[in-house]
Amino acid sequence: MCSPQVAPSPVSRDAGLVEGTELVGAFRGSGYREAPLLVQRADGQLVRLPELLYLVVRLLSEHGGGPARGGDLLAVVARDAAAASDLPLARSHIAYLLDHKLAPLGLTTYTDGTAPELAVHTPFLALKARLQLLGPAATWVVGGLLGWLFHPLAIAVVLAATGFAQWWVFANQNITQAMQDTLVDPAGVLAVLAIAVASTAFHECGHAAGCRYSGAVPGGMGFGIYLVWPAFYTDITDSYRLGRAGRLRTDLGGVYFNALFVVGLVALYAGTGWAPLLIAVLSVNLEIVQQLLPTLRFDGYYIVADAVGIPDLFRYIRPILAHRVLRRPADERLTELKRWPQIVVTVWVLVIVPVLIAELAYLAWQVPTILRADVQEIDRLLAAAADSMHPVLDGLSATARILLLLLPVAGIGAMLWHLARLVWRRAAPLRTPVAALIAGFRHPAPRVRHAAAVSLAVLAGLTFVGAAWAVTARVPEPGRTAAAALPAPRPAAVLPEPLPAPPPPATSAAPTSGTGGRTAGGHEESADDAVATEDRKPTSTRPRPRPAAPTSTNGVTPPPPATPGPPTEAPPPTSQPSTPTCTLLGILFGCP
């Protein structure tokens, strides 16, 4: 085997590993035919290396890897690497590997002693704008205090208690009534939001505890932005040292702690009967369902990734679509996977990609409806807060609910913006829009033709959504806009009919509780009672005796005198009654 021709590089006495670089070893339980070799950088990111580069890093670490050994270190590493790999390696080869392979990855310095810049790799749909709240030392303490909950006996007790608590809530409690009572109570709304934040923080404690119990070292805990949604996070990068079981325990630790949180909420509700606690249980259950979805980078995504032993599933979307849909030869990234992980990842791609496209298209189609509903709900919340007897509390509740209404809209806008930027970058070689499409479809490169096709599809979709938006904005809402646009017809004068007999006095019934209406003077009046009061007329089953009509001397009955009276109002326009909606945690519910 002939050795590669390498230009001699200047060797300094300052060459070596970057301080903080640490060997991780083989990725246990991986889905690759050959287990990846991992090295952890000084900033905590993991780097996957081929066998030869990993051998060089290992020898640099074994021989001291610091700047004090200098050129002698490179010569010793070249000698040992040649003996271990059966390759004719010289000091110049090791210098070349440092300058062109390892230093750009942030693992070693350059041969002239220059420290490399640590390029940060941001995965697709990753958490951004992180702010660390607890350092690794504090997270280690939290994980140690809660790690005993992962003992098999403790897990069995918690799961049994969770199952009983869920059955008791959904089979024996009136969640609809609790929702109505919570929506009309500003303090209850704020309490549900605070409990949701506490549940999310406790979720992250579960990841830290699972990571430490499994034998890895959890990193810091903090706060970040996922797309546009605020989210907590825990750095569990060190869990890649673990096997498949340890990684899955760490991934499931979050929802496991959510289940424990539900048990605590149900116990408090059983002791107090406070309705917001029951809605908080529903909120935590929704969080568990969301976290288990394998679409975005939630816990469900990492569960699938760690189960098959492939760290980044989004990296395989393009090669799988090219191979399975476009019938192109299999990419090298696919051939390096084992058989069953390749099948699982292929199924994941072929299911998740259409689901994400359908969700994005549906959200784009529903943008006008969502905006209109949000505007109406915001107006209602502001008006209710302005007329409230507790302006500060109602104002805080309205502000929190308005933010929850605006976050999904901002998320839709962010996703559309990222998609537009992606399409724009793909179509960068093309100049004008019309010429881009024409030249793109005729371009010999398949990548440019695909970019043109995607651009045309996105342009058509945006045009369709804009047209639908314009049409739905001009179409009046049934029973509301159309009736308000046309003036009511002027009623004709109608003679008053004789009044029926007054109804017998009825016994007053006790007002029913639980309608969730506004309380005024000790009487609770619901919206349904108000509507019924407007349409109620006194009726009687026995007709009132009509007096004899006056007769004239010639036997002709004169016409009754015309008694002027107020004209009767025209009946209101018939329309389908619309139920007002209230929002809680970004979800619209029918409000009382």
Side-chain angles (χ1 to χ4, degrees):
M1 182 180 296
C2 57
S3 60
Q5 299 296 326
V6 181
S9 301
V11 177
S12 170
R13 299 187 60 85
D14 293 330
L17 288 178
V18 173
E19 185 177 358
T21 303
E22 185 179 354
L23 297 173
V24 176
F27 183 39
R28 293 186 290 168
S30 71
Y32 300 91
R33 298 183 186 276
E34 296 182 3
L37 300 171
L38 304 178
V39 177
Q40 185 175 1
R41 297 195 320 186
D43 59 353
Q45 289 199 5
L46 293 177
V47 180
R48 177 187 173 188
L49 295 179
E51 186 176 359
L52 178 59
L53 292 181
Y54 186 84
L55 175 62
V56 172
V57 173
R58 181 173 64 82
L59 292 175
L60 286 173
S61 177
E62 290 178 355
H63 291 294
R69 299 289 299 275
D72 295 337
L73 174 64
L74 297 184
V76 171
V77 168
R79 183 193 63 201
D80 294 347
S85 62
D86 294 331
L87 294 175
L89 297 176
R91 190 175 62 177
S92 59
H93 297 104
I94 303 302
Y96 176 85
L97 293 178
L98 262 64
D99 286 335
H100 296 85
K101 300 295 182 179
L102 295 175
L105 293 175
L107 299 177
T108 66
T109 61
Y110 290 94
T111 52
D112 59 357
T114 305
E117 295 183 2
L118 298 181
V120 179
H121 171 66
T122 303
F124 180 66
L125 296 178
L127 189 72
K128 298 181 180 179
R130 299 187 180 190
L131 176 62
Q132 183 172 290
L133 302 179
L134 292 179
T139 307
W140 174 264
V141 174
V142 172
L145 293 176
L146 301 175
W148 64 272
L149 291 170
F150 286 91
H151 190 276
L153 182 59
I155 293 177
V157 172
V158 170
L159 293 182
T162 302
F164 176 78
Q166 299 283 7
W167 170 82
W168 185 77
V169 166
F170 290 100
N172 299 281
Q173 303 302 314
N174 191 346
I175 299 179
T176 303
Q177 185 63 45
M179 178 67 70
Q180 294 176 354
D181 294 341
T182 303
L183 288 174
V184 297
D185 183 10
V189 173
L190 293 176
V192 171
L193 295 177
I195 292 173
V197 174
S199 172
T200 307
F202 195 62
H203 174 100
E204 298 303 325
C205 294
H207 289 307
C211 184
R212 176 171 175 177
Y213 183 85
S214 300
V217 180
M221 297 175 60
F223 176 84
I225 300 297
Y226 188 70
L227 295 179
V228 295
W229 288 275
F232 290 100
Y233 75 90
T234 303
D235 186 3
I236 53 173
T237 307
D238 199 62
S239 63
Y240 284 107
R241 300 175 181 270
L242 307 174
R244 182 180 288 110
R247 295 195 302 270
L248 290 177
R249 183 186 296 110
T250 303
D251 297 335
L252 291 169
V255 294
Y256 172 61
F257 270 44
N258 284 141
L260 182 61
F261 200 83
V262 167
V263 174
L265 290 177
V266 173
L268 288 177
Y269 175 75
T272 61
W274 194 38
L277 292 175
L278 199 61
I279 305 307
V281 171
L282 180 62
S283 169
V284 177
N285 284 329
L286 292 177
E287 180 185 353
I288 293 175
V289 173
Q290 178 194 20
Q291 287 292 335
L292 292 178
L293 294 177
T295 50
L296 302 179
R297 290 185 185 270
F298 299 131
D299 290 351
Y301 166 84
Y302 289 105
I303 290 171
V304 175
D306 287 331
V308 298
I310 300 175
D312 191 358
L313 298 180
F314 285 106
R315 182 171 175 261
Y316 295 89
I317 290 181
R318 181 182 297 178
I320 288 177
L321 291 180
H323 179 58
R324 299 296 180 182
V325 178
L326 302 179
R327 299 299 180 183
R328 294 182 179 176
D331 189 85
E332 181 181 355
R333 286 173 290 183
L334 295 181
T335 57
E336 66 183 5
L337 299 179
K338 297 178 182 177
R339 181 63 178 171
W340 75 269
Q342 185 178 148
I343 294 175
V344 174
V345 177
T346 301
V347 172
W348 180 83
V349 170
L350 296 180
V351 171
I352 293 302
V353 170
V355 168
L356 290 177
I357 294 176
E359 288 181 353
L360 186 60
Y362 177 77
L363 289 176
W365 171 256
Q366 291 295 322
V367 164
T369 304
I370 294 174
L371 289 178
R372 185 166 57 247
D374 286 355
V375 170
Q376 294 176 358
E377 181 67 11
I378 290 173
D379 290 341
R380 190 193 68 80
L381 290 173
L382 293 177
D387 298 338
S388 174
M389 298 178 61
H390 306 283
V392 176
L393 191 61
D394 283 346
L396 292 176
S397 175
T399 302
R401 294 162 72 175
I402 288 172
L403 289 177
L404 291 175
L405 284 173
L406 295 179
L407 280 177
V409 178
I412 296 173
M415 286 188 290
L416 293 177
W417 170 253
H418 288 305
L419 180 61
R421 289 183 58 188
L422 178 63
V423 173
W424 180 259
R425 287 198 300 265
R426 295 295 182 187
L430 310 176
R431 300 302 178 186
T432 62
V434 177
L437 294 178
I438 297 176
F441 284 109
R442 297 177 179 178
H443 201 278
R447 182 176 180 180
V448 179
R449 292 199 303 269
H450 295 160
V454 173
S455 302
L456 181 61
V458 172
L459 181 62
L462 293 178
T463 304
F464 182 71
V465 171
W469 194 342
V471 171
T472 54
R474 298 185 61 181
V475 173
E477 185 177 349
R480 182 178 301 175
T481 309
L486 299 177
R490 184 181 183 84
V494 181
L495 295 178
E497 296 181 357
L499 295 175
T507 58
S508 59
T512 58
S513 61
T515 56
R518 181 181 301 173
T519 302
H523 173 68
E524 190 171 6
E525 180 182 354
S526 66
D528 296 335
D529 294 335
V531 174
T533 304
E534 294 177 357
D535 297 336
R536 186 180 299 123
K537 296 181 180 179
T539 59
S540 175
T541 58
R542 179 179 301 175
R544 187 176 182 179
R546 187 183 297 273
T551 59
S552 63
T553 57
N554 56 4
V556 179
T557 301
T563 304
T568 61
E569 296 182 358
T574 59
S575 63
Q576 185 175 1
S578 59
T579 304
T581 57
C582 300
T583 180
L584 180 66
L585 296 177
I587 304 174
L588 293 179
F589 299 96
C591 84

